[in-house]
Amino acid sequence: MSLEYTSAEMMTVTAARALENGMTCFVGIGLPSEAANLARLTHAPEVVLIYESGTLQTKPDVLPLSIGDGELCESALTTVSVPEMFRYWLQGGHISVGFLGTAQIDRYCNLNTTLIGDYHDPKVRLPGGGGAPEIATNAHEVFITLKHSKRTFVKDVDFITTLGFGRDGKGRDGVPNIGKGPTRAITDLCVMKPDPETKELVVVSLHPGVSREDVYDATGWEIRFAEQLESTPEPNAHELEVLRELKERTARKHTGEV
Amino acid sequence: MSLEYTSAEMMTVTAARALENGMTCFVGIGLPSEAANLARLTHAPEVVLIYESGTLQTKPDVLPLSIGDGELCESALTTVSVPEMFRYWLQGGHISVGFLGTAQIDRYCNLNTTLIGDYHDPKVRLPGGGGAPEIATNAHEVFITLKHSKRTFVKDVDFITTLGFGRDGKGRDGVPNIGKGPTRAITDLCVMKPDPETKELVVVSLHPGVSREDVYDATGWEIRFAEQLESTPEPNAHELEVLRELKERTARKHTGEV
Amino acid sequence: MAEFLSLHDAVARYVEDGATVAMEGFTHLIPFAAGHEVIRQRKRDLTLIRMTPDLVYDQLIGAGCVKKLIFSWGGNPGVGSLHRLRDAVEKGWPHKIEIHEHSHAAMACAFEAGAAGLPLAVLRGYVGSELPNVNDQIKFIECPFTGERLAAVPSVRPDVSIVHAQKADRKGNVLVEGIIGVQKEAVLAAKYSIVTVEEIVDDLMTLPDYHPNACVIPGWAISAIAVAEKGSYPSYAHGYYPRDNRFYKEWDTIARDREVFTQWLEENVYNAGGQS
Amino acid sequence: MAEFLSLHDAVARYVEDGATVAMEGFTHLIPFAAGHEVIRQRKRDLTLIRMTPDLVYDQLIGAGCVKKLIFSWGGNPGVGSLHRLRDAVEKGWPHKIEIHEHSHAAMACAFEAGAAGLPLAVLRGYVGSELPNVNDQIKFIECPFTGERLAAVPSVRPDVSIVHAQKADRKGNVLVEGIIGVQKEAVLAAKYSIVTVEEIVDDLMTLPDYHPNACVIPGWAISAIAVAEKGSYPSYAHGYYPRDNRFYKEWDTIARDREVFTQWLEENVYNAGGQS
């Protein structure tokens, strides 16, 4: 049986599958939130979703537009203050995975959400760091999900808002009390992991129908491929159904139709 | 009309009168708590009582035995965590007066609640500092109340648990962000205030029927008397009635008769 | 002790030109009505502090009230850019603004430290980030017990903080429920504070669902209270009205263009009366 | 994820000889049942942390479980001394104990810092006090922004924290209400945690008076939960039973005398069964 699905759906389902039941996940808004909620509604009903607005263990019925939609609080086990969220829950070491999106990522998994160009004379001013700089260092590990393009995947980010492994891949070496950092990046084309030695991103799995050239052409440096290059498993019917219903509910809610 | 009252009642009523309506008072257990609640039940109904257990703006019907009796929480505007109490409310500068008791006090208003004798080989081990060290420095001012005796009023405390004005009266000089410190000490014999220059305690008011000699004999140093020595006003009938009822309710409650 | 004022009078009394102002509310309970009143009163040269500038600061920046912005995430949540913020930073319209940029963790800790009366906040933060290169307000200290290097930022101590909440009672005690953000911290850290509320009730403590550990700010810790019904719209008030996510999306179009924005401001802020 | 164990098994598994243990509850919800179980299991050489040692640590000290005590106020609240603590400190019975003495503010901040994953707490504290002369765990640092001298203490990071609470639900989520003290901080700061509760309910979120900002510790942040009805007696549980102030007064007589104490311990702890 072959299912119809988009590359965006492939990305979300793959990202969702990275989460395991029982993990505590600090969720970024947008793609990470979509993937995390899909995981919760499919294979990982006991995944614990935490948003920086203070909502602990939340189970929204529709995807929040903002990091602090009412839905998040109403379906949360409890809601704490934002200082408590960052101090006790994130910095306190209770987050197994930080799930982040980004505007730019480089070969050492550094993230830029600050600006394009020069800091003091920016070409494009982006929103900024938000929770990411400390999520990336205080969570036990980090998953990253974003669309693959030469604009987003650059050799060196214009600005390191959020540490992957630094300008030379050694940014976490010798730092006490720091998480493992990014352990995978999931795009609409493939799954990448940092090389255990150099920390440079390596493609470990291609999504169905995607070629090495596709990835190569969408990446701003000469990206390497794992020797044992895998093929990402396709979404199944249940995942697609749940994802589509979730997105439909969400769209209805945010256009005010509900 | 002459009323009958004890010297303990005189002390409590005088201490209560020191509190003004609208003051925020961080209340120590025992004599301060008795005085603070008497103030609230008589001339200062809007005095705000705060106990270190986290109970903000509490209005107990009976005196608490401990700093965290259930009564305090049930009658409080809200109850916050103990770290929040010390960080936001005390250290944050929201307390107008800290009301403290003590085991020992010296001529510079330093308080000892740690021990008698040598720290490493104590004759008597006292309970310790509790909230007092930071109440004394972070509240805008401090009132002290205790019974007068040579045992409690010593020239130099064995140990400065809590700063009055230091071993030389200059302990607050040049310290940024520090309260005024003790502004009065109220005993069963008299009211004392620190000399504006030297910070040494000076008797400013004698309770009715108390002589200079009485105070002199009960003080462990050659205490001075103000030039304009006043006579402390007597308790009135209403104060005595409210105080006695409060103590009676309290006794009934704590012996389990209620 | 909190004084009950009109929103107009509260802003007129406490928000001075050149002041440092924090308007808080993390997505929830954003004090839009108060922000609009600040615009109407044409306050100038403000240093604005807020974790997420959101639409309210986009409007204040576009209206020319702002000299400096201290923030940690300056986007339109779930939608994209804050175009007025970008236009000021990238092109200096209506004039250049200075920015001091932090992470959320640092800002949250800085509010906490401000409420706690401390001059600095200490956190495990900014490791490997280049933000310390461009913000001289981020320093590092060494733990005297472990030798660990820790980030330090100055605490937030605004001249005025403005927040919105659900209820105040007649004694000025304020109840905040739901996503409480850094609102209590903002109020306690500031020299003066204005709280706008959806409604005044008689006594919080007699509300049927009152909770012993509710997030309540006592009246004696607040300078002024002003009633502002729907005062956080298009943000929301838990228990009162939902977030208007549609307007947040529409804002992208309004704010993208200087003229459309100016017209929106004219119609919806300058000529929208306000209360007096 | 919290495991539901008997109190016996929870203490047997997590409290090792020589461990650093914090049993918290500020006057309210003191985990007496758990303390007695620790005595019954004859744990030794414990480093005990608690702001107010109270009767529970007086009993543990008298029973010979304790090597070191970290505390900030060691009295019988409203009554007087803790005689077992005094006897150990003054006369070395049943053996000498080491003490690290703080102020409440410093201990509260140290718990907060422990929960926050920091190695130290910073406070405006200990100014003019002689406690820093006798406790080498109190240091001073300089604020890199203002130059102000601030006190620093190591954060509290126990091997095990034990607290008592009103309710857990079937997923192990715990509700604490009333005087919440430093209980959440103690649990979050520790490597392992045991929470004893008055009762297990099906689901906290469906309780009729559930509050969106209730003090709840999620099950995944707790190691073990044990039911202990009246588990904080003679302390109290808000909503369940009051503090037995009379017993607190009687304790003065019991604890004053080594033999009376020993007999009390025999009858009320060693031979009082416990649960298995």
Side-chain angles (χ1 to χ4, degrees):
Chain A
M1 182 187 82
S2 182
L3 291 160
E4 300 267 329
Y5 56 87
T6 67
S7 61
E9 287 171 337
M10 181 69 207
M11 170 166 60
T12 300
V13 168
T14 306
R17 287 176 176 176
L19 286 174
E20 294 164 27
N21 226 356
M23 275 180 161
T24 48
C25 179
F26 206 100
V27 187
I29 209 68
L31 293 178
S33 174
E34 192 173 310
N37 280 289
L38 178 60
R40 183 177 60 78
L41 295 170
T42 54
H43 69 282
E46 298 297 320
V47 69
V48 174
L49 304 190
I50 295 170
Y51 289 73
E52 65 196 14
S53 52
T55 48
L56 270 177
Q57 202 168 326
T58 179
K59 302 182 171 185
D61 187 50
V62 302
L63 295 173
L65 182 67
S66 81
I67 202 82
D69 277 22
E71 179 84 8
L72 291 174
C73 173
E74 279 155 28
S75 65
L77 173 62
T78 189
T79 298
V80 301
S81 76
V82 167
E84 177 176 328
M85 177 53 79
F86 280 98
R87 288 172 75 79
Y88 289 6
W89 299 96
L90 177 60
Q91 189 175 264
H94 297 281
I95 306 299
S96 27
V97 56
F99 213 142
L100 299 175
T102 184
Q104 252 190 359
I105 182 170
D106 69 16
R107 66 197 192 285
Y108 289 122
C109 260
N110 302 301
L111 311 182
N112 174 18
T113 53
T114 301
L115 80 170
I116 308 298
D118 173 68
Y119 189 84
H120 297 286
D121 186 17
K123 254 188 290 186
V124 182
R125 178 62 233 197
L126 300 167
E134 282 76 19
I135 294 172
T137 53
N138 287 319
H140 302 169
E141 65 179 315
V142 176
F143 298 163
I144 297 159
T145 182
L146 75 163
K147 279 187 133 180
H148 217 127
S149 83
K150 269 214 154 87
R151 207 169 48 83
T152 53
F153 277 75
V154 298
K155 191 173 180 202
D156 296 286
V157 287
D158 289 22
F159 187 90
I160 299 185
T161 312
T162 299
L163 179 69
F165 298 97
R167 296 279 180 200
D168 58 1
K170 302 183 197 304
R172 288 172 189 262
D173 297 1
V175 178
N177 306 300
I178 194 167
K180 277 188 285 189
T183 52
R184 69 184 80 189
I186 298 138
T187 73
D188 48 342
L189 302 182
C190 63
V191 178
M192 286 151 284
K193 294 187 176 182
D195 179 282
E197 295 299 314
T198 66
K199 304 299 182 189
E200 195 173 308
L201 276 176
V202 173
V203 179
V204 296
S205 176
L206 289 174
H207 296 344
V210 175
S211 70
R212 288 176 182 237
E213 286 64 38
D214 294 337
V215 175
Y216 200 85
D217 291 348
T219 306
W221 71 90
E222 300 199 4
I223 194 161
R224 295 195 299 118
F225 296 81
E227 281 179 29
Q228 301 281 332
L229 190 60
E230 293 183 7
S231 175
T232 319
E234 289 200 313
N236 64 40
H238 179 61
E239 287 166 329
L240 288 172
E241 188 191 333
V242 171
L243 174 59
R244 286 165 190 172
E245 283 175 9
L246 175 65
K247 296 199 73 163
E248 207 182 288
R249 277 200 304 278
T250 301
R252 273 204 309 272
K253 173 87 176 245
H254 294 333
T255 51
E257 283 174 32
V258 167
Chain B
M1 183 188 84
S2 181
L3 290 160
E4 299 269 327
Y5 56 87
T6 67
S7 61
E9 288 171 336
M10 181 70 208
M11 169 166 63
T12 301
V13 168
T14 307
R17 286 176 176 175
L19 285 174
E20 293 164 28
N21 226 359
M23 276 181 160
T24 48
C25 179
F26 206 100
V27 188
I29 209 67
L31 293 177
S33 174
E34 194 174 307
N37 279 288
L38 178 61
R40 183 176 62 77
L41 294 170
T42 54
H43 68 282
E46 299 297 321
V47 68
V48 174
L49 305 190
I50 296 170
Y51 289 73
E52 65 196 15
S53 51
T55 48
L56 271 177
Q57 201 167 328
T58 179
K59 302 182 172 185
D61 186 51
V62 302
L63 296 172
L65 181 68
S66 81
I67 202 81
D69 277 21
E71 179 85 7
L72 291 175
C73 174
E74 279 155 28
S75 65
L77 174 62
T78 189
T79 298
V80 302
S81 76
V82 168
E84 177 176 328
M85 176 52 77
F86 280 97
R87 290 172 74 80
Y88 289 6
W89 299 96
L90 178 60
Q91 189 175 265
H94 298 280
I95 306 299
S96 25
V97 57
F99 213 142
L100 299 176
T102 184
Q104 253 190 358
I105 181 170
D106 68 17
R107 67 195 190 285
Y108 290 123
C109 260
N110 301 300
L111 310 183
N112 174 18
T113 52
T114 302
L115 81 170
I116 308 298
D118 174 68
Y119 190 83
H120 297 287
D121 186 18
K123 254 188 291 186
V124 181
R125 179 61 235 196
L126 300 167
E134 282 75 19
I135 294 172
T137 53
N138 287 319
H140 303 170
E141 65 180 316
V142 177
F143 298 163
I144 297 160
T145 181
L146 75 162
K147 280 188 131 178
H148 217 127
S149 83
K150 271 215 152 89
R151 208 168 49 83
T152 53
F153 277 75
V154 298
K155 189 172 181 204
D156 296 286
V157 288
D158 289 24
F159 187 91
I160 299 184
T161 312
T162 299
L163 179 69
F165 298 98
R167 295 279 180 199
D168 58 0
K170 302 182 196 307
R172 290 173 187 261
D173 297 0
V175 178
N177 305 300
I178 194 166
K180 277 189 285 188
T183 53
R184 67 184 82 187
I186 298 138
T187 74
D188 47 344
L189 300 182
C190 63
V191 178
M192 286 151 284
K193 294 188 176 180
D195 179 281
E197 295 299 313
T198 66
K199 303 300 182 189
E200 195 172 307
L201 276 176
V202 173
V203 179
V204 296
S205 177
L206 288 175
H207 296 345
V210 175
S211 70
R212 289 178 184 235
E213 287 64 39
D214 293 336
V215 175
Y216 200 85
D217 290 347
T219 306
W221 72 91
E222 299 201 3
I223 193 159
R224 293 195 299 118
F225 295 82
E227 280 178 31
Q228 302 280 331
L229 189 60
E230 294 183 6
S231 176
T232 319
E234 291 202 312
N236 65 38
H238 178 60
E239 287 166 328
L240 288 171
E241 187 191 335
V242 171
L243 174 59
R244 286 166 190 172
E245 281 174 8
L246 174 64
K247 296 200 72 162
E248 205 181 293
R249 278 202 302 280
T250 302
R252 273 205 307 274
K253 174 87 176 245
H254 294 332
T255 51
E257 281 173 33
V258 166
Chain C
M1 185 57 71
E3 209 176 331
F4 290 89
L5 297 176
S6 70
L7 181 53
H8 172 277
D9 291 355
V11 168
R13 182 176 313 172
Y14 290 110
V15 182
E16 296 186 356
D17 285 354
T20 298
V21 184
M23 303 186 196
E24 267 298 342
F26 198 91
T27 313
H28 178 218
L29 291 173
I30 299 177
F32 272 94
H36 291 179
E37 186 57 37
V38 171
I39 293 173
R40 268 193 298 276
Q41 294 190 22
R42 298 179 194 273
K43 302 292 180 183
R44 287 296 176 266
D45 296 322
L46 302 177
T47 291
L48 292 186
I49 307 175
R50 208 180 130 76
M51 294 183 66
T52 59
D54 204 270
L55 274 48
V56 68
Y57 277 15
D58 212 32
Q59 293 163 4
L60 280 148
I61 291 167
C65 305
V66 184
K67 185 180 70 180
K68 181 164 140 188
L69 177 67
I70 301 174
F71 75 107
S72 42
W73 193 82
N76 179 343
V79 179
S81 288
L82 292 177
H83 297 289
R84 295 297 96 227
L85 168 59
R86 280 185 58 179
D87 203 15
V89 172
E90 295 171 14
K91 311 223 171 76
W93 191 91
H95 51 73
K96 264 278 178 208
I97 63 168
E98 192 186 333
I99 57 172
H100 275 202
E101 190 167 359
H102 282 287
S103 66
H104 275 352
M107 287 282 283
C109 291
F111 271 105
E112 201 271 349
L118 291 171
L120 84 165
V122 173
L123 67 152
R124 277 192 171 137
Y126 290 122
V127 178
S129 171
E130 291 174 356
L131 283 165
N133 302 353
V134 296
N135 182 346
D136 61 11
Q137 297 290 286
I138 303 167
K139 294 184 190 286
F140 293 88
I141 64 165
E142 195 182 275
C143 171
F145 302 103
T146 62
E148 187 180 343
R149 184 173 180 265
L150 297 161
V153 294
S155 64
V156 167
R157 305 297 305 255
D159 295 319
V160 198
S161 283
I162 305 178
V163 303
H164 186 69
Q166 278 100 342
K167 293 175 176 71
D169 69 17
R170 299 202 183 282
K171 302 225 160 147
N173 305 307
V174 164
L175 175 69
V176 190
E177 273 186 319
I179 291 178
I180 54 180
V182 294
Q183 266 128 300
K184 186 195 265 189
E185 287 76 12
V187 168
L188 297 184
K191 209 178 299 173
Y192 302 106
S193 57
I194 302 171
V195 181
T196 58
V197 294
E198 289 295 327
E199 61 169 330
I200 308 276
V201 297
D202 197 45
D203 182 354
L204 289 181
M205 290 181 70
T206 59
L207 291 178
D209 55 351
Y210 200 65
H211 185 271
N213 306 113
C215 179
V216 171
I217 309 172
W220 42 268
I222 296 167
S223 308
I225 291 174
V227 175
E229 261 181 71
K230 292 204 103 189
S232 67
Y233 175 87
S235 168
Y236 69 108
H238 182 104
Y240 288 77
Y241 47 90
R243 191 174 193 266
D244 188 350
N245 281 331
R246 189 155 56 171
F247 182 81
Y248 269 82
K249 288 177 174 171
E250 285 168 13
W251 183 252
D252 193 68
T253 313
I254 297 166
R256 205 178 273 276
D257 184 276
R258 291 177 188 170
E259 281 188 29
V260 178
F261 165 75
T262 304
Q263 197 189 326
W264 182 89
L265 203 62
E266 206 61 45
E267 284 169 14
N268 295 278
V269 180
Y270 288 120
N271 297 332
Q275 309 151 26
S276 64
Chain D
M1 186 53 73
E3 208 177 331
F4 290 89
L5 296 176
S6 70
L7 181 53
H8 173 277
D9 291 356
V11 168
R13 184 178 310 171
Y14 290 110
V15 182
E16 294 187 358
D17 284 355
T20 297
V21 184
M23 302 187 197
E24 266 300 342
F26 197 90
T27 313
H28 178 218
L29 292 173
I30 299 176
F32 272 94
H36 292 180
E37 186 58 37
V38 171
I39 294 173
R40 268 194 297 277
Q41 295 190 22
R42 296 177 193 274
K43 302 292 181 183
R44 287 296 177 266
D45 296 322
L46 302 177
T47 291
L48 292 186
I49 307 175
R50 208 179 132 74
M51 293 182 67
T52 60
D54 204 89
L55 275 48
V56 67
Y57 277 15
D58 213 33
Q59 293 164 3
L60 280 148
I61 291 166
C65 305
V66 184
K67 186 180 70 182
K68 182 164 142 188
L69 176 67
I70 300 173
F71 74 108
S72 42
W73 193 82
N76 179 345
V79 178
S81 288
L82 292 176
H83 297 289
R84 295 297 95 228
L85 167 59
R86 279 186 60 179
D87 204 14
V89 172
E90 296 172 13
K91 310 225 173 77
W93 191 92
H95 52 74
K96 265 276 178 207
I97 63 168
E98 192 186 333
I99 57 173
H100 275 202
E101 190 167 1
H102 282 286
S103 66
H104 274 354
M107 287 281 286
C109 291
F111 271 105
E112 202 271 349
L118 291 171
L120 85 165
V122 173
L123 68 151
R124 277 194 171 136
Y126 290 122
V127 177
S129 171
E130 291 174 355
L131 283 165
N133 303 352
V134 296
N135 182 346
D136 62 9
Q137 297 290 287
I138 303 166
K139 295 185 189 284
F140 293 88
I141 65 166
E142 194 181 277
C143 172
F145 302 102
T146 62
E148 186 180 343
R149 184 172 180 264
L150 297 161
V153 293
S155 63
V156 167
R157 306 298 305 253
D159 295 319
V160 199
S161 284
I162 305 178
V163 303
H164 187 69
Q166 279 99 341
K167 294 176 175 72
D169 70 16
R170 299 201 184 283
K171 302 223 161 151
N173 304 308
V174 164
L175 176 69
V176 189
E177 273 187 320
I179 292 178
I180 53 178
V182 296
Q183 265 129 301
K184 187 196 261 190
E185 287 76 12
V187 167
L188 297 184
K191 209 179 298 172
Y192 302 106
S193 57
I194 301 171
V195 181
T196 59
V197 294
E198 289 295 327
E199 61 169 330
I200 308 279
V201 299
D202 197 43
D203 183 355
L204 289 180
M205 290 181 69
T206 59
L207 291 179
D209 55 350
Y210 199 65
H211 185 271
N213 306 114
C215 179
V216 171
I217 309 172
W220 42 268
I222 296 167
S223 307
I225 290 173
V227 175
E229 261 182 70
K230 294 204 99 187
S232 67
Y233 175 86
S235 166
Y236 69 108
H238 182 105
Y240 288 78
Y241 47 90
R243 191 172 192 266
D244 187 349
N245 281 333
R246 188 154 55 172
F247 182 81
Y248 269 81
K249 289 177 174 172
E250 285 169 11
W251 182 252
D252 193 67
T253 313
I254 296 166
R256 207 177 271 274
D257 183 277
R258 289 177 190 171
E259 280 187 30
V260 178
F261 165 74
T262 305
Q263 197 188 329
W264 182 90
L265 204 63
E266 205 63 45
E267 284 169 14
N268 296 278
V269 180
Y270 288 121
N271 297 330
Q275 309 151 27
S276 65

